Amino acid sequence: MTVKLHYFHGRAPLRALVLVREERRVELYVKQVGESTWAVVALTGTDAGQPQKQRCQGPYHSVGRAEAVLRAIAGALLEDDYDPRPADHVVWSVMAQRLARSLRTDSMAIDARYLFDPDQYEPIG
C-alpha cells in the first residue's frame, strides 16, 4: 500500500490524477474557480466511455487545501483497490472544467441573493 501512495504524496503540484479498478476509471482534478478559489472535481465511468457520475467539492481558498483534499480522496480510493495511473492522460478535463465553473456560478448566485435575517428565523420543532 505505501508504494502506491508514493505516486501522489509530496510537494510537487498535483492538479489531476487517474485511478483505475477493473473497468472503472476515476479522474480527480483541482480546478481554479475564481481569482483565489479552487475546487476538487471527481468524475467516474467506464475506462473506455464517458463519465457516469460526477462530484464537485469546494470552493477552497488555497490551491494547497484543494490538493490536500484530492490526495485524501485518492488515498481512500487506493484503500478501495483502485490503482493510480500517473502516466495516463486525463480525458474528461473539459467536463471537469464545466463542473468547476458551475460551482463558481452557484456559489456566486448564493452569495449575491442570500442575506440572513435573524428576525425571520423559525426554530425547527
Side-chain angles (χ1 to χ4, degrees), residues 22 29 40 45 47-48 61 65 67 73 86 116 118 120:
E22 297 171 8
Y29 298 87
V40 175
D47 196 27
H61 295 290
R65 180 65 183 137
E67 286 179 5
I73 293 168
F116 179 70
Q120 293 182 358

Side-chain angles (χ1 to χ4, degrees), residues 55-93:
R55 179 87 56 176
C56 192
Q57 292 184 355
Y60 301 100
H61 295 290
S62 77
V63 69
R65 180 65 183 137
E67 286 179 5
V69 171
L70 183 146
R71 291 173 199 274
I73 293 168
L77 289 170
L78 285 179
E79 291 179 13
D80 202 22
D81 294 325
Y82 277 84
D83 292 314
R85 301 274 175 90
D88 281 12
H89 294 286
V90 293
V91 293
W92 299 328
S93 61

Side-chain angles (χ1 to χ4, degrees), residues 9 17 30 55 58 62 68 87 94 120 125:
H9 273 271
L17 181 65
V30 170
R55 179 87 56 176
S62 77
V94 172
Q120 293 182 358

Side-chain angles (χ1 to χ4, degrees), residues 22-26 44-52 91-92:
E22 297 171 8
E23 301 284 321
R24 301 297 299 170
R25 177 184 188 90
V26 176
T44 184
T46 60
D47 196 27
Q50 292 295 313
Q52 298 163 330
V91 293
W92 299 328

Side-chain angles (χ1 to χ4, degrees), residues 96-116:
Q97 188 61 47
R98 187 174 66 233
L99 286 168
R101 284 190 190 129
S102 73
L103 176 71
R104 178 183 62 204
T105 303
D106 291 347
S107 66
M108 290 173 76
I110 291 168
D111 290 343
R113 295 185 197 150
Y114 182 76
L115 178 62
F116 179 70

Side-chain angles (χ1 to χ4, degrees), residues 17-35:
L17 181 65
V18 176
L19 297 106
V20 176
R21 181 181 71 190
E22 297 171 8
E23 301 284 321
R24 301 297 299 170
R25 177 184 188 90
V26 176
E27 292 188 9
L28 302 173
Y29 298 87
V30 170
K31 293 287 188 179
Q32 190 167 7
V33 295
E35 187 174 316

